[in-house]
Amino acid sequence: MSGTPELTRGDEYVVFYSGGPYNGQSDTRISTDGSWDDEVTVIAAVDGKETQLVYANPVAHLVGSQVQVTYSWDQPDSEPLEALDERNDD
C-alpha cells in the first residue's frame, strides 16, 4: 500500500483547515491537474471585515476511497488580523 494517495484530474477531495480563524472548517475542491493544491487562500470575514488567510503545508490521507487533505494556517503569509480594525472602508 502506498503512503501517498493519488488523484486524477477532475477528482474531488476534502480540505480540512487547521489553525487560524478557519480552524476546524472544511470544504471540497476539484483537482485540476491530478494533485491537490500546495496552498489554499481563503477569504474570511473576521470581525465583519474580509481578510485573506493562507493555508499551506498539505498533508494528505486516504480515508476509504476519499482523499482528505489538511492544510495548516500560514500566519506570516496571511493578512495580519490585528490590522483589520485599522482599515478604512470609506
Side-chain angles (χ1 to χ4, degrees):
M1 179 174 155
S2 173
T4 303
E6 294 182 12
L7 290 171
T8 57
R9 185 172 187 241
D11 283 352
E12 183 177 270
Y13 62 100
V14 177
V15 171
F16 292 101
Y17 299 97
S18 177
Y22 247 50
N23 187 49
Q25 300 292 318
S26 65
D27 66 37
T28 56
R29 296 180 74 87
I30 303 293
S31 177
T32 58
D33 62 0
S35 66
W36 46 86
D37 297 316
D38 290 332
E39 71 178 30
V40 176
T41 301
V42 293
I43 297 177
V46 179
D47 295 331
K49 300 186 187 223
E50 289 185 350
T51 188
Q52 290 186 13
L53 305 171
V54 177
Y55 285 81
N57 304 313
V59 176
H61 300 284
L62 188 62
V63 178
S65 62
Q66 182 181 67
V67 175
Q68 298 181 352
V69 185
T70 301
Y71 292 85
S72 299
W73 185 33
D74 187 346
Q75 186 174 4
D77 285 340
S78 296
E79 289 183 340
L81 298 178
E82 61 273 5
L84 290 176
D85 59 348
E86 298 172 9
R87 292 184 185 171
N88 184 357
D89 291 338
D90 295 336

